[in-house]
Amino acid sequence: MRFMDEAKYLLKQNIRDYGMYVALAVIMMIFTATTGGLFISSRNISNLINQTGYIAVLAVGMTLIIVIRHIDLSVGYLAGFLGAIAAILLTKAGAPVYLTILVVLVLGTLIGLFNGYLVAYVGIPAFVATLAGMLAFRGRFF
C-alpha cells in the first residue's frame, strides 16, 4: 500500500512532466482497442517508424536550434523544396539515387550555412532570416 501512496504523490507532484506520457498511453490504448490490436502490431510500429524518420531528423535539428534560443521557420518548407528537387532529379533528369541524395544533402547544407551566416555574421535576427527563407522555398518571395 505504501508503494501506491508514493506513486500517487509523485504523479501529483510531477503531473506536468508526465502529462504527455499519460496522453500518449491513453491514445495508444484507444487506438489499440478500436483496431482490435492491430495498432500495436510489429508491422504497424515498423511503418510508423519508417514514415516518421525524416520528422525525427528535423526534430533533432530544431531542438539544437531552440536550445541556443533561436528559431528556424524555414525547415519544413526547405524539406519540401528539397523533396521536390529530388523528385525532379529522379523522374525528369533520370539521375541515379546516390547522386540525387548527394545533391539534396549538399543543397540542404549550403542553404543551412547561408541561413547561419545571415544570423551569425550579418546580424539578422533568426526569425527574420528564416522567415525570408520560408517564403522563398514556398514560392512567395516576389
Side-chain angles (χ1 to χ4, degrees):
M1 191 65 174
R2 180 160 163 77
F3 174 75
M4 291 301 290
D5 292 335
E6 187 175 339
K8 286 179 186 176
Y9 173 76
L10 287 174
L11 186 63
K12 285 181 184 178
Q13 293 300 316
N14 301 312
I15 193 69
R16 279 189 157 162
D17 296 337
Y18 300 130
M20 287 296 165
Y21 297 118
V22 171
L24 178 64
V26 168
I27 290 169
M28 288 177 67
M29 286 189 290
I30 289 171
F31 279 114
T32 301
T34 57
T35 61
L38 291 177
F39 181 75
I40 275 297
S41 69
S42 60
R43 174 183 268 174
N44 191 48
I45 298 299
S46 174
N47 285 338
L48 287 172
I49 290 170
N50 286 334
Q51 292 173 358
T52 59
Y54 73 96
I55 294 173
V57 171
L58 294 176
V60 168
M62 288 302 294
T63 301
L64 295 174
I65 291 171
I66 291 171
V67 164
I68 62 172
R69 297 184 188 165
H70 286 284
I71 191 165
D72 188 351
L73 301 174
S74 65
V75 69
Y77 289 102
L78 177 60
F81 176 72
L82 293 174
I85 288 177
I88 291 169
L89 285 174
L90 289 170
T91 57
K92 302 283 185 192
V97 174
Y98 64 87
L99 180 64
T100 301
I101 292 172
L102 182 65
V103 167
V104 167
L105 286 175
V106 167
L107 276 175
T109 302
L110 290 175
I111 292 169
L113 287 172
F114 179 71
N115 275 343
Y117 175 78
L118 290 177
V119 173
Y121 292 108
V122 178
I124 299 174
F127 184 85
V128 175
T130 60
L131 179 65
M134 180 188 81
L135 293 174
F137 302 131
R138 196 170 143 186
R140 308 271 171 123
F141 199 80
F142 297 106

